């Protein structure tokens, strides 16, 4: 007795995949957001863009450590 094969069960996996993707992307977006901001205390932030990364790229001790 052969049953016809359908792929309808994959729709049950879709909510889990979406939930896992959301839970992975939200912390990543938070890390990226904080990596380009300079904090000066409580609720005082300014955007530093990529200036910190450019400054760190010129440090010779960092190159030696890598």
């Amino acid at each position: 007795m052969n049953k016809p094969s359908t792929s309808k069960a994959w729709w049950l996996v879709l909510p889990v995949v979406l939930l896992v993707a959301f839970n992975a992307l939200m912390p990543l977006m938070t890390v990226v957001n904080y990596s380009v901001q300079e904090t000066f205390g409580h609720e005082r932030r300014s955007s530093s863009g990529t200036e910190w990364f450019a400054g760190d790229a010129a440090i010779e001790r960092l190159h030696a450590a890598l």
Side-chain angles (χ1 to χ4, degrees):
M1 181 185 293
N2 291 338
K3 292 183 180 180
S5 176
T6 63
S7 59
K8 291 181 182 179
W10 286 106
W11 287 104
L12 297 174
V13 178
L14 184 63
V16 174
V17 170
L18 292 175
L19 185 65
V20 169
F22 177 76
N23 286 328
L25 289 177
M26 287 305 291
L28 180 64
M29 289 171 38
T30 303
V31 167
V32 169
N33 183 29
Y34 284 135
S35 71
V36 295
Q37 286 185 2
E38 187 172 349
T39 59
F40 296 107
H42 186 65
E43 299 297 323
R44 290 181 53 210
R45 295 188 176 111
S46 69
S47 177
S48 63
T50 58
E51 294 170 11
W52 284 358
F53 299 109
D56 289 343
I59 299 174
E60 291 187 22
R61 286 184 62 192
L62 178 64
H63 289 257
L66 294 175

